[in-house]
Amino acid sequence: MVTIKDIAQMANVSRSTVSRVLNNSGYVSEDARERVEKVIEETGYVPSEYAKSLRTKKTKVIGVILPTIQTETPSRIVTGLGKELEKHGYQILLTNTNLDKDKELEYLDLLKMRQVDGIILIATNTEPKLIKKIKQVDIPVVIVGQESEEAMCVSYDDYHAARELTSFLISKGHVKIAFIGVNETDHAVGYLRKKGFFDEMESRLLPVEKDWIQQGIFDIDSGHASMERIITDSQHQPTATIAVTDRLAIGAMSYLKKQGIQIPEAMAIAGIGASEMSQYIDPPLTTIDYQNEKAGTEAAKQILARIYSQKIQEKIILDYRLIIRNSV
Amino acid sequence: MVTIKDIAQMANVSRSTVSRVLNNSGYVSEDARERVEKVIEETGYVPSEYAKSLRTKKTKVIGVILPTIQTETPSRIVTGLGKELEKHGYQILLTNTNLDKDKELEYLDLLKMRQVDGIILIATNTEPKLIKKIKQVDIPVVIVGQESEEAMCVSYDDYHAARELTSFLISKGHVKIAFIGVNETDHAVGYLRKKGFFDEMESRLLPVEKDWIQQGIFDIDSGHASMERIITDSQHQPTATIAVTDRLAIGAMSYLKKQGIQIPEAMAIAGIGASEMSQYIDPPLTTIDYQNEKAGTEAAKQILARIYSQKIQEKIILDYRLIIRNSV
DNA sequence: CTGTTAGCGCGTTCAA
DNA sequence: TTGAACGCGCTAACAG
C-alpha cells in the first residue's frame, strides 16, 4: 500500500508538503506541487480516509437504519438521501433491521462505534426506549417517517392525508367505508392514519362498524386477508375501503377480483403511498403521494446542517398530494 | 470522547491491558479484567473502529455499488448481502450510481479510498474499462448479475432461463413469439436472454419477424411502448411475447388491457424476475425466479472467503425456476 | 500476567 | 515556502 510517506520520498519533499497539496492548504511552491502531483498520478495514490478521520474526527459517513429495503418507501428515501449526501462528499453506511425493533437500538450503538457523523433513522415506531437511546448516542440523529417532539424529524402529514382521502370518498357518495390499518405502535402509519379516518367519519356523522376495521401487516397478502374478512364478516357491506398502504390496497383488490366483485362499482378502494404499481394495476389505484425521495433529501439537509451546527428547524412535516384514479 | 487511555487510567492498568480485555486476547488477571469491565460499563465507552482499522488494516466494511435501489432485484440482493455480512460483523457502505455508468468507476475509487475490505458490484455491464478498473483497485471485488471470466462473479443462467421460457411458450402452441429486450451492453439481461430466445426459436425452425423484436429500458412505461409498437407495426400479429424483465412485461400487459386485447387468449405474455407484483397482477404473470436474495448471500460468502484468503470458486452461476401462471 | 514501546497514515502546529 | 515533531486511538511485539 502506498502512503503519504512514499509520495513524499519519491517527490523529494516532506510529508507535510504532500499533505498541503492534497488539501490545498498553506503555501507550496509551484515546483514542489508539480512534482508531488506527478508522483500521485503515477502511483495512483489515494489518501486513507481512515487515517484522516482519526485526525479530523470527521468520517464523512452517515449511518442509515431502515426497516427493510424491499419496499418502495424506504428505497425512495435512501435514493433521496444518497443524492443529497453525495453532493457533499458523504457516504452511506447502511443497516437493515429487517423489521426487528431490537436491531434499531443495536445499530444505533454500532453506528456510534463506527464514528459516523450522523444517523438517519427510517423509523417504524417512536417508543420511549428508542428515543432514549437516540439521546444517549450523542450523535446527530434525524428520524424520517415518524413525528417526534424530542428528536429532529422529517415526517408526513399522515393525519390530514388520511382525513382528506376519507373526505374524498365521502364526496363520491360513500357512507359505509371500511379501513385496513396496521399496528398502532407505528404511530405514523398505524395510529395517525387511522385517527384521520375516524375523525373525518365522525365529523360527517357517519357510523363505522367494527368489522369494517381490519388490521394487516406491511405486505400484500395481509391486504388480501383483510379484505376477505371485511367481505365475509360485515353485517352491512361497505361500499368503499381505505388501506393505509398501497400494498395493502393491492392485496385487497386481488381478493375482490378473485371474488368477481367489481371495482369501483361494488367496492371503491384507495391506498396511500403512490407506489409505482398503483398506476398500472387494474383499475388504477387512487392514492396519496408523499414525495418520499424529497423526504430523503430533506433529511440529508437536516443532518448536514446539524453537523455544521447551523441553526435548524427541528421538525419538518412534508406536504402530500391526492392522486385520483379509477379505483374510486 | 472517552478513549482507551481514559479507561486505562481509571482502571489503574495500562492501555495494553484494556486492549486485551477488549479483544479477549492474551492473559489478563481476573482482578484486572473486572476493574476494566466495570469502568467500561460505567463510562459507556465504545472503542473507535477507525483507530482499530488503522492498525489492523481491516475495516470490516464491504462497499456495495448498485445501479438503483428502486427495483426489486438489487434490493433483494442487498438484503441477502446484509444478512450474511451481518453474521460476520461486517457493515455495508452503499453507493448508488442511479444508472450512471461513469459512477461505477468513480465509486470503485471512492471505496478504495474508504479502505473497504471488499466490494460487491451489482453490475449492468462488463465493459473492458470496468474490468480494468476492478483489477486496478486491488481490493477483492465480486460482480453480481453479470458473468465474467476475469473477475469473481455470481450470476444467473440467463441464457438457459430465456431459452426454457421460450421453449415453454412453444410447447403451449405458440409459433409467432415477440420479444421485448434491453440494450445489449447489459450482457446478462440484454444479450444472453435475447440469445436464448433466438437460439430456441431457431432450433425449432420458427421464424422471427423484425417488428416482433423491440427494445426498452428498465421501466414499466417502455414495456407499454414496446408492446404498442409490436401490435401496430407487425406484419403478422404474434400470439405471445417474452419480456426480459417483469416490469417490461407488466407495462406490456397494461397496453394490451387498454386495447382490450385478451391475455392470454389473444396474446400470451411472460416476464423474467419473479417480481412481487407478478403474482398479483391480472392475470398473474408467468415468469422466472432467480433467487436474488440467495445471489446476495452467495456473493457475501464469496467476498468473505476471498478476504480470509480461502480457496474459492471464482465463478458461481445460480439456478433458476420457471413459475407458470395464467398469463400464458 | 503486565507495562513499555513503537508504529498504523494522516493533519497541524511551530520553527526555520 | 518548507520540514520536524507531535498526536489522533488503537494493536502488537517485546521485555519484564
Side-chain angles (χ1 to χ4, degrees):
Chain A
M1 181 183 182
V2 35
T3 74
I4 198 173
K5 199 170 142 198
D6 304 319
I7 304 297
Q9 283 171 355
M10 297 173 69
N12 232 312
V13 294
S14 74
R15 288 170 7 207
S16 326
T17 304
V18 178
S19 176
R20 286 190 191 99
V21 349
L22 246 28
N23 299 291
N24 248 318
S25 61
Y27 299 107
V28 42
S29 65
E30 198 48 41
D31 184 44
R33 155 164 281 119
E34 272 170 18
R35 288 210 308 282
V36 170
E37 282 171 348
K38 183 157 169 289
V39 175
I40 290 179
E41 175 72 18
E42 286 168 7
T43 55
Y45 162 74
V46 279
S48 158
E49 284 290 331
Y50 271 72
K52 189 189 289 190
S53 299
L54 192 56
R55 284 264 356 184
T56 62
K57 303 288 178 201
K58 290 243 170 271
T59 57
K60 293 227 146 198
V61 172
I62 301 293
V64 175
I65 303 176
L66 43 74
T68 166
I69 200 177
Q70 310 239 31
T71 56
E72 284 178 80
T73 301
S75 298
R76 290 172 176 169
I77 293 172
V78 172
T79 300
L81 281 173
K83 284 185 183 170
E84 184 66 23
L85 291 178
E86 196 204 359
K87 286 187 203 163
H88 303 268
Y90 280 74
Q91 242 51 54
I92 289 176
L93 194 67
L94 192 79
T95 61
N96 183 342
T97 68
N98 282 310
L99 294 170
D100 177 348
K101 275 190 215 168
D102 290 339
K103 288 211 171 161
E104 288 182 341
L105 307 179
E106 196 180 302
Y107 284 144
L108 243 17
D109 268 335
L110 186 144
L111 290 173
K112 173 173 188 167
M113 216 157 81
R114 294 276 184 189
Q115 320 281 139
V116 296
D117 292 344
I119 296 175
I120 305 282
L121 174 62
I122 302 177
T124 59
N125 71 87
T126 49
E127 290 174 6
K129 67 179 176 184
L130 181 61
I131 300 294
K132 186 178 157 213
K133 191 79 185 177
I134 287 174
K135 293 186 169 170
Q136 181 194 320
V137 289
D138 194 32
I139 294 177
V141 175
V142 171
I143 296 176
V144 180
Q146 300 280 344
E147 208 178 324
S148 168
E149 297 303 325
E150 317 188 60
M152 289 168 63
C153 61
V154 175
S155 62
Y156 312 109
D157 195 351
D158 288 290
Y159 175 76
H160 289 102
R163 199 157 172 173
E164 184 174 329
L165 189 56
T166 309
S167 171
F168 171 69
L169 287 176
I170 296 171
S171 78
K172 283 293 205 174
H174 296 283
V175 293
K176 291 180 288 183
I177 305 178
F179 182 88
I180 303 175
V182 297
N183 191 294
E184 297 188 19
T185 58
D186 186 326
H187 195 256
V189 183
Y191 176 75
L192 289 177
R193 296 185 190 175
K194 188 173 186 176
K195 182 161 167 48
F197 166 74
F198 273 103
D199 284 2
E200 183 63 22
M201 290 297 273
E202 199 178 334
S203 79
R204 302 292 193 98
L205 305 175
L206 296 174
V208 177
E209 284 187 19
K210 183 172 158 295
D211 288 324
W212 296 350
I213 306 304
Q214 296 293 331
Q215 182 167 317
I217 55 176
F218 286 93
D219 69 11
I220 296 182
D221 280 339
S222 77
H224 186 281
S226 296
M227 183 52 87
E228 181 170 7
R229 287 195 300 272
I230 289 172
I231 297 295
T232 55
D233 296 354
S234 296
Q235 288 271 336
H236 302 89
Q237 198 88 326
T239 63
T241 300
I242 288 179
V244 293
T245 74
D246 278 4
R247 289 159 71 91
L248 287 169
I250 288 172
M253 286 171 76
S254 89
Y255 175 79
L256 293 173
K257 287 185 203 170
K258 206 178 289 174
Q259 299 299 312
I261 299 175
Q262 292 293 317
I263 307 169
E265 294 77 9
M267 176 73 87
I269 188 150
I272 294 181
S275 67
E276 189 181 23
M277 270 316 301
S278 67
Q279 58 185 305
Y280 293 103
I281 194 127
D282 182 34
L285 182 65
T286 290
T287 186
I288 287 195
D289 180 15
Y290 271 152
Q291 316 171 67
N292 302 117
E293 198 171 315
K294 184 175 174 200
T297 61
E298 282 302 319
K301 283 179 186 166
Q302 285 288 96
I303 201 93
L304 291 175
R306 176 63 198 287
I307 288 169
Y308 295 117
S309 61
Q310 296 162 4
K311 56 281 156 203
I312 48 153
Q313 190 183 340
E314 287 282 335
K315 207 169 141 181
I316 293 184
I317 297 187
L318 294 173
D319 213 2
Y320 59 87
R321 193 168 57 91
L322 176 61
I323 302 178
I324 298 171
R325 301 209 188 95
N326 294 335
S327 69
V328 173
Chain B
M1 183 183 183
V2 34
T3 76
I4 196 174
K5 198 172 143 196
D6 303 321
I7 305 297
Q9 282 172 355
M10 296 172 71
N12 232 312
V13 293
S14 75
R15 287 167 3 200
S16 331
T17 303
V18 178
S19 177
R20 286 192 190 98
V21 348
L22 247 27
N23 299 292
N24 248 319
S25 61
Y27 298 106
V28 42
S29 65
E30 199 48 41
D31 184 42
R33 154 164 281 120
E34 272 171 16
R35 288 209 309 281
V36 171
E37 281 170 347
K38 181 154 171 289
V39 175
I40 290 180
E41 173 73 20
E42 287 168 6
T43 57
Y45 162 74
V46 279
S48 159
E49 283 290 331
Y50 271 72
K52 187 190 289 191
S53 299
L54 191 58
R55 284 273 345 188
T56 60
K57 304 287 177 201
K58 291 242 168 274
T59 56
K60 291 230 150 196
V61 172
I62 300 293
V64 174
I65 302 177
L66 43 74
T68 167
I69 201 178
Q70 310 238 30
T71 57
E72 283 177 78
T73 301
S75 299
R76 289 172 178 169
I77 294 172
V78 172
T79 300
L81 281 172
K83 283 186 183 168
E84 184 66 23
L85 292 178
E86 196 205 358
K87 286 186 202 162
H88 303 267
Y90 280 75
Q91 241 50 53
I92 289 177
L93 194 66
L94 191 79
T95 61
N96 183 343
T97 69
N98 282 309
L99 294 167
D100 176 348
K101 275 190 212 166
D102 291 339
K103 289 211 171 160
E104 287 181 343
L105 307 178
E106 194 181 304
Y107 285 143
L108 243 17
D109 269 334
L110 187 145
L111 292 173
K112 174 173 187 165
M113 214 159 82
R114 294 275 182 191
Q115 320 281 138
V116 296
D117 291 346
I119 295 175
I120 306 282
L121 175 62
I122 301 179
T124 58
N125 72 88
T126 50
E127 291 175 7
K129 67 178 178 185
L130 180 62
I131 301 295
K132 189 180 154 209
K133 190 79 184 176
I134 288 173
K135 292 186 169 170
Q136 182 195 317
V137 291
D138 193 35
I139 295 176
V141 175
V142 171
I143 295 176
V144 180
Q146 300 281 342
E147 209 178 322
S148 168
E149 297 303 326
E150 316 188 61
M152 291 168 63
C153 62
V154 175
S155 62
Y156 312 109
D157 195 351
D158 288 291
Y159 175 77
H160 288 103
R163 198 157 173 171
E164 184 173 329
L165 189 55
T166 309
S167 171
F168 170 69
L169 287 176
I170 296 171
S171 77
K172 283 293 202 171
H174 296 283
V175 293
K176 292 179 289 184
I177 305 179
F179 181 87
I180 302 174
V182 297
N183 191 293
E184 296 188 19
T185 57
D186 186 326
H187 195 256
V189 183
Y191 177 75
L192 289 176
R193 294 185 191 175
K194 188 174 187 175
K195 185 163 165 46
F197 166 73
F198 273 101
D199 284 2
E200 183 63 21
M201 290 297 274
E202 199 178 333
S203 79
R204 302 292 192 98
L205 305 175
L206 295 174
V208 177
E209 283 186 20
K210 184 173 156 297
D211 289 324
W212 296 350
I213 307 304
Q214 297 293 332
Q215 187 172 106
I217 54 176
F218 286 93
D219 68 12
I220 296 182
D221 281 337
S222 78
H224 186 282
S226 297
M227 182 53 86
E228 180 169 9
R229 288 194 300 271
I230 290 172
I231 297 296
T232 55
D233 297 352
S234 296
Q235 288 271 334
H236 303 89
Q237 198 87 327
T239 63
T241 299
I242 288 179
V244 292
T245 74
D246 279 3
R247 287 158 73 89
L248 287 170
I250 288 172
M253 288 172 75
S254 88
Y255 176 79
L256 294 172
K257 285 186 204 167
K258 207 178 289 176
Q259 298 299 312
I261 298 173
Q262 291 292 319
I263 307 170
E265 294 77 9
M267 177 72 87
I269 188 150
I272 295 180
S275 65
E276 188 181 25
M277 269 315 302
S278 68
Q279 58 184 306
Y280 293 103
I281 195 127
D282 181 34
L285 182 66
T286 290
T287 186
I288 287 196
D289 181 15
Y290 271 153
Q291 315 172 66
N292 303 115
E293 196 170 318
K294 184 173 173 203
T297 61
E298 280 303 318
K301 282 179 186 164
Q302 285 287 97
I303 202 91
L304 291 174
R306 175 65 197 288
I307 288 169
Y308 295 116
S309 63
Q310 295 163 3
K311 56 280 155 202
I312 47 154
Q313 190 184 340
E314 287 282 336
K315 208 169 136 179
I316 292 183
I317 297 187
L318 294 174
D319 212 4
Y320 60 86
R321 194 168 56 93
L322 176 60
I323 301 177
I324 298 170
R325 302 209 187 94
N326 294 337
S327 69
V328 172

